[in-house]
Coordinates of all heavy atoms in Angstrom, one line a residue:
A11 N 11.3 10.3 -7.0 CA 12.0 10.8 -8.3 C 12.5 9.5 -9.1 O 12.7 8.4 -8.5 CB 13.3 11.5 -7.8
R12 N 12.6 9.7 -10.4 CA 13.1 8.5 -11.2 C 14.5 8.2 -10.9 O 15.3 9.2 -10.7 CB 12.9 8.8 -12.6 CG 11.5 9.0 -13.0 CD 11.3 9.4 -14.5 NE 9.9 9.6 -14.9 CZ 9.6 9.9 -16.1 NH1 10.5 10.2 -17.1 NH2 8.3 10.0 -16.4
P13 N 14.9 7.0 -10.9 CA 16.4 6.6 -10.6 C 17.2 7.2 -11.7 O 16.8 7.3 -12.9 CB 16.4 5.1 -10.5 CG 15.1 4.7 -11.3 CD 14.1 5.7 -11.0
A14 N 18.5 7.5 -11.4 CA 19.4 8.0 -12.4 C 19.6 7.1 -13.6 O 19.8 7.6 -14.7 CB 20.7 8.3 -11.7
E15 N 19.5 5.8 -13.4 CA 19.7 4.8 -14.5 C 18.7 4.9 -15.5 O 18.9 4.7 -16.7 CB 19.6 3.3 -13.9 CG 20.7 3.0 -13.0 CD 20.6 3.5 -11.6 OE1 19.5 4.1 -11.3 OE2 21.5 3.4 -10.9
A16 N 17.4 5.5 -15.2 CA 16.4 5.6 -16.2 C 16.8 6.7 -17.2 O 16.3 6.7 -18.3 CB 15.1 6.0 -15.5
H17 N 17.7 7.6 -16.9 CA 18.1 8.7 -17.7 C 19.4 8.4 -18.5 O 19.8 9.3 -19.2 CB 18.1 10.1 -17.0 CG 16.9 10.3 -16.3 ND1 15.7 10.9 -17.0 CD2 16.5 10.2 -15.0 CE1 14.7 11.1 -16.2 NE2 15.1 10.6 -14.9
A18 N 20.0 7.4 -18.1 CA 21.4 7.1 -18.7 C 21.3 6.8 -20.2 O 20.3 6.1 -20.6 CB 22.1 6.0 -17.9
R19 N 22.3 7.1 -20.9 CA 22.4 6.8 -22.3 C 22.8 5.3 -22.5 O 23.7 4.9 -21.8 CB 23.3 7.8 -23.1 CG 22.9 9.2 -23.0 CD 23.8 10.1 -23.7 NE 23.8 9.8 -25.1 CZ 24.5 10.3 -26.0 NH1 25.4 11.3 -25.7 NH2 24.5 10.0 -27.3
P20 N 22.3 4.6 -23.5 CA 22.7 3.2 -23.8 C 24.2 3.1 -24.1 O 24.8 4.1 -24.7 CB 21.8 2.8 -24.8 CG 21.4 4.0 -25.6 CD 21.3 5.1 -24.5
A21 N 24.8 2.0 -23.8 CA 26.2 1.8 -24.1 C 26.4 1.7 -25.6 O 25.5 1.5 -26.3 CB 26.7 0.6 -23.4
E22 N 27.6 1.9 -26.1 CA 27.9 1.8 -27.5 C 27.6 0.4 -28.0 O 27.9 -0.6 -27.5 CB 29.4 2.0 -27.8 CG 29.8 2.1 -29.2 CD 29.4 3.5 -29.8 OE1 29.1 4.4 -29.0 OE2 29.1 3.5 -31.0
G23 N 26.7 0.4 -29.1 CA 26.3 -0.8 -29.7 C 25.1 -1.5 -29.0 O 24.6 -2.5 -29.5
Q24 N 24.7 -0.9 -27.9 CA 23.5 -1.4 -27.2 C 22.3 -0.8 -27.8 O 22.2 0.3 -28.2 CB 23.6 -1.1 -25.8 CG 22.4 -1.6 -24.9 CD 22.5 -1.3 -23.5 OE1 23.5 -0.7 -23.1 NE2 21.5 -1.5 -22.8
A25 N 21.3 -1.6 -28.0 CA 20.0 -1.2 -28.6 C 19.3 -0.2 -27.7 O 19.3 -0.3 -26.5 CB 19.1 -2.3 -28.9
R26 N 18.9 1.0 -28.3 CA 18.1 2.0 -27.6 C 16.7 1.5 -27.2 O 16.0 1.1 -28.2 CB 18.1 3.3 -28.3 CG 17.5 4.4 -27.5 CD 17.4 5.7 -28.4 NE 18.8 6.2 -28.6 CZ 19.5 6.9 -27.8 NH1 18.9 7.3 -26.7 NH2 20.7 7.3 -28.1
P27 N 16.3 1.6 -26.0 CA 14.9 1.1 -25.7 C 13.9 2.0 -26.4 O 14.2 3.2 -26.7 CB 14.9 1.3 -24.2 CG 15.9 2.3 -23.8 CD 17.0 2.1 -24.9
A28 N 12.8 1.4 -26.7 CA 11.7 2.2 -27.3 C 11.2 3.2 -26.4 O 11.1 3.1 -25.2 CB 10.6 1.2 -27.6
E29 N 11.1 4.4 -27.1 CA 10.5 5.6 -26.3 C 9.1 5.4 -26.0 O 8.3 4.9 -26.8 CB 10.8 6.9 -27.2 CG 12.3 7.1 -27.4 CD 12.4 8.4 -28.2 OE1 11.4 9.1 -28.5 OE2 13.6 8.7 -28.5
A30 N 8.7 6.0 -24.8 CA 7.3 5.9 -24.5 C 6.6 7.0 -25.2 O 7.1 8.2 -25.2 CB 7.1 6.1 -23.0
K31 N 5.5 6.7 -25.8 CA 4.8 7.7 -26.7 C 3.4 8.0 -26.0 O 2.8 7.1 -25.4 CB 4.5 7.1 -28.1 CG 5.7 6.8 -28.8 CD 6.5 8.0 -29.2 CE 7.7 7.6 -30.1 NZ 8.5 8.8 -30.4
A32 N 3.1 9.3 -26.0 CA 1.8 9.7 -25.4 C 0.7 9.3 -26.3 O 0.9 9.1 -27.5 CB 1.8 11.2 -25.3
S33 N -0.4 9.0 -25.8 CA -1.6 8.6 -26.6 C -1.9 9.7 -27.6 O -1.8 10.9 -27.3 CB -2.9 8.5 -25.6 OG -4.0 8.4 -26.4
R34 N -2.2 9.3 -28.8 CA -2.6 10.2 -29.9 C -3.8 10.9 -29.6 O -4.0 12.0 -30.2 CB -2.6 9.5 -31.2 CG -1.2 9.1 -31.8 CD -1.3 8.3 -33.1 NE -1.9 6.9 -32.8 CZ -1.9 6.0 -33.7 NH1 -1.7 6.3 -35.0 NH2 -2.4 4.8 -33.5

Side-chain angles (χ1 to χ4, degrees):
R12 296 178 179 177
E15 291 79 7
H17 303 282
R19 299 182 61 183
E22 189 70 25
Q24 180 181 353
R26 181 180 297 273
E29 296 181 0
K31 300 295 184 181
S33 169
R34 284 178 288 184

